[in-house]
Amino acid sequence: MEKFVIGGGRPLRGEVRISGAKNAAVAILPAVLLSDEPCVIENLPGISDVHTLLRTLESLGAQVRPINKTTVEIDPRHVNSFVVSKQMAEGMRASSYFLGALLGRMNKARVAPPGGCDFGVRPIDQHIKGFEALGAKMSFENGMVSGRAQRLSGCSIYLDVVSVGATINIMLAAVKASGLTVIENAAREPHIVDLANFLNSMGADIMGAGTGVIKIRGVQHLHGTNYSIIPDQIEAGTYMAAAVATGGDVLVTNVTPKHLESIIAKLVEVGADVTEYDESVRVRMDHRPKKCNVKTMPHPGFPTDMQPQIAVLLAVAEGTSIITEGVWDSRFRYVDQLTLMGADIQVDGKMAVITGVKTLHAAPVRAVDLRAGAAMVIAGLVATGTTEIEDIDHIDRGYEDIVEKFSALGAKIKRVPVFDASAALKQA
Ligand code: EPU
């Protein structure tokens, strides 16, 4: 076990290069199962969720050959298993994408229920509804989600809630189904568009990704492809928020500025100076942030995955701000940790009222989930004193080289082993 030790109070300065998007990568890797030939995936982020998915692909019979740090070749031709075990599935949400991908490839799938960050109840009823509409018989047996079909046939599906996961899973199952599938009230996130572009580069026929209506005309075969994953909008937003919170000046490179619009709008509202270039964004801040209100929404609204990071910024802003969480039932579990560092935040259901304080102070805290962990890192960079963050395996699920990237911006941050007294006693 490891923890981060952060010496706070230094403005971030310099340049940071953003990695490939986690939430695109975790959809595209299972999608490789639909190909009849090997695929080369570039700009893969070096994060533990990607490593878990690559191991899962291998456990199904795929051959995985790393080409360099960010590129991997995957040969799915000898995949013979349709079972994803609890051990593989429980650590992450995206393991549910094997349901759609295996149904699409073999007309059968058995996958342990997905894990991932704890935001209260995380149902998959819309995924199941989509698979059933395509003709699969779904069941829950022995703690596994199973699906089987004679063949999958195109259909019309109206999603009751805008769901990234259900939209992706239905696309995966429908891409080789016979006939036309129409997903209405579909999610519009950049990673949905990236998955559609990836599948189309293999010969799929998908239109409308990025809008609320996606049309998928089934094809019989998908061929191999070389595909480069889009940059991670949330990783970019995290470094941008950190630059503003510490009063710094950071050039964030390898980004798609259009994907960052809702985040940039809020950073400008708190007083930051943001300049957009073709593939980079410069963020400067030379005064205390101003208050602002934020409501998270599905894309193109402000992303829920940036909610904890912006909360840190507002925790040290002048005045009182309100955050309304519009996607998840329970995404304020990190507030207790921030309070330990001196933040003044009152949570009432899906709303947090944040009264800005002049500064935060160091404290021992935990990463309660992935983005909450990123928020604690930003809080540590802002705070006076030395902050220690435990449970950082959550952060490693989604941020490549976070210590190296923040260090290159002048931060004092180290990864150190946690002394586990009970393990040491057992060994003695
Ligand atoms: N929902 C249902 N039924 C379903 C599916 C979802 O009611 O069948 C509800 C959820 O309870 C939630 C809302 O719909 O209230 C949206 O959930 P969605 O399905 O869009 O979320 P997800 O696919 O499980 C992905 C990201 C999350 C991100 C959300 C929202 C991945 C692997 N995960 O989750 O990312 O918060 O979309 O944008 O893509 C993260 O990266 O830190 C992260 C948690």
Side-chain angles (χ1 to χ4, degrees):
M1 278 196 303
E2 293 174 317
K3 64 184 173 183
F4 288 155
V5 178
I6 301 175
R10 298 155 76 102
L12 297 179
R13 293 191 194 287
E15 197 174 309
V16 61
R17 185 180 162 81
I18 297 307
S19 302
K22 162 186 166 283
N23 288 344
V26 299
I28 285 172
L29 289 175
V32 171
L33 291 175
L34 295 161
S35 173
D36 297 337
E37 293 169 345
C39 296
V40 174
I41 313 294
E42 297 166 14
N43 204 30
L44 261 183
I47 53 177
S48 63
D49 270 10
V50 161
H51 302 142
T52 305
L53 286 176
L54 291 173
R55 278 200 307 276
T56 308
L57 284 167
E58 282 179 328
S59 77
L60 295 171
Q63 283 173 3
V64 174
R65 188 170 69 87
I67 293 178
N68 59 41
K69 190 177 174 215
T70 58
T71 307
V72 73
E73 184 186 60
I74 303 166
D75 182 349
R77 283 176 296 184
H78 305 294
V79 165
N80 49 17
S81 168
F82 61 98
V83 181
V84 175
S85 67
K86 181 166 183 282
Q87 192 199 0
M88 290 294 177
E90 68 188 353
M92 59 188 309
R93 194 72 191 160
S95 51
S96 69
Y97 296 152
F98 285 105
L99 279 171
L102 287 166
L103 277 172
R105 178 187 171 102
M106 302 164 114
N107 287 337
K108 55 186 176 182
R110 194 182 311 144
V111 177
C117 297
D118 177 4
F119 308 140
V121 185
R122 293 186 73 174
I124 56 166
D125 57 300
Q126 298 302 302
H127 307 226
I128 302 291
K129 172 174 131 170
F131 298 144
E132 286 179 341
L134 284 161
K137 194 167 162 10
M138 304 300 297
S139 60
F140 294 85
E141 310 159 347
N142 304 323
M144 303 286 273
V145 188
S146 298
R148 246 173 215 278
Q150 287 296 332
R151 64 196 297 240
L152 297 172
S153 307
C155 61
S156 276
I157 301 157
Y158 187 93
L159 295 179
D160 300 341
V161 288
V162 178
S163 161
V164 170
T167 304
I168 287 177
N169 241 337
I170 296 166
M171 284 166 71
L172 294 173
V175 75
K176 288 169 104 173
S178 61
L180 179 69
T181 299
V182 181
I183 311 174
E184 292 189 70
N185 202 25
R188 295 186 273 167
E189 270 65 7
H191 28 288
I192 306 267
V193 179
D194 207 35
L195 174 67
N197 288 341
F198 169 69
L199 292 168
N200 284 343
S201 78
M202 296 198 290
D205 183 356
I206 303 176
M207 281 170 51
T211 76
V213 182
I214 301 179
K215 293 187 177 164
I216 305 154
R217 195 169 291 283
V219 295
Q220 285 197 336
H221 299 286
L222 293 177
H223 54 75
T225 184
N226 269 42
Y227 192 82
S228 181
I229 290 173
I230 52 165
D232 195 310
Q233 70 175 140
I234 305 299
E235 189 198 13
T238 301
Y239 284 97
M240 290 160 71
V244 177
T246 60
D249 180 352
V250 173
L251 184 69
V252 184
T253 68
N254 188 37
V255 297
T256 306
K258 189 154 179 35
H259 296 167
L260 299 170
E261 274 170 0
S262 61
I263 300 170
I264 291 173
K266 285 296 155 189
L267 297 182
V268 169
E269 208 174 317
V270 300
D273 184 0
V274 181
T275 315
E276 292 178 37
Y277 303 97
D278 286 349
E279 292 184 355
S280 58
V281 174
R282 183 175 178 190
V283 182
R284 282 174 289 181
M285 187 69 166
D286 59 6
H287 53 85
R288 191 174 166 196
K290 294 183 280 190
K291 65 176 180 161
C292 84
N293 296 336
V294 176
K295 180 168 167 89
T296 70
M297 311 249 276
H299 190 81
F302 187 88
T304 173
D305 295 342
M306 275 300 297
Q307 188 252 92
Q309 302 91 313
I310 201 93
V312 176
L313 195 53
L314 301 179
V316 292
E318 258 176 279
T320 300
S321 309
I322 295 176
I323 295 187
T324 312
E325 172 56 43
V327 176
W328 295 108
D329 282 342
S330 166
R331 201 169 193 171
F332 288 118
R333 291 198 312 135
Y334 64 89
V335 163
D336 288 347
Q337 305 296 311
L338 267 188
T339 307
L340 293 173
M341 299 179 74
D344 180 352
I345 307 178
Q346 304 298 321
V347 176
D348 184 5
K350 291 173 122 185
M351 192 183 285
V353 179
I354 306 179
T355 307
V357 294
K358 276 213 170 111
T359 189
L360 300 174
H361 53 75
V365 289
R366 290 175 46 232
V368 298
D369 61 53
L370 165 57
R371 308 303 171 187
M376 299 321 296
V377 171
I378 300 176
L381 295 170
V382 170
T384 52
T386 303
T387 296
E388 298 195 0
I389 306 174
E390 293 203 9
D391 294 341
I392 58 170
D393 47 317
H394 288 295
I395 304 174
D396 292 332
R397 285 189 41 220
Y399 288 89
E400 180 174 37
D401 293 341
I402 189 167
V403 167
E404 293 74 8
K405 288 187 185 187
F406 273 121
S407 299
L409 294 174
K412 278 175 77 178
I413 174 169
K414 277 190 306 193
R415 182 190 288 271
V416 301
V418 175
F419 175 67
D420 183 345
S422 61
L425 276 174
K426 271 186 206 149
Q427 277 175 7

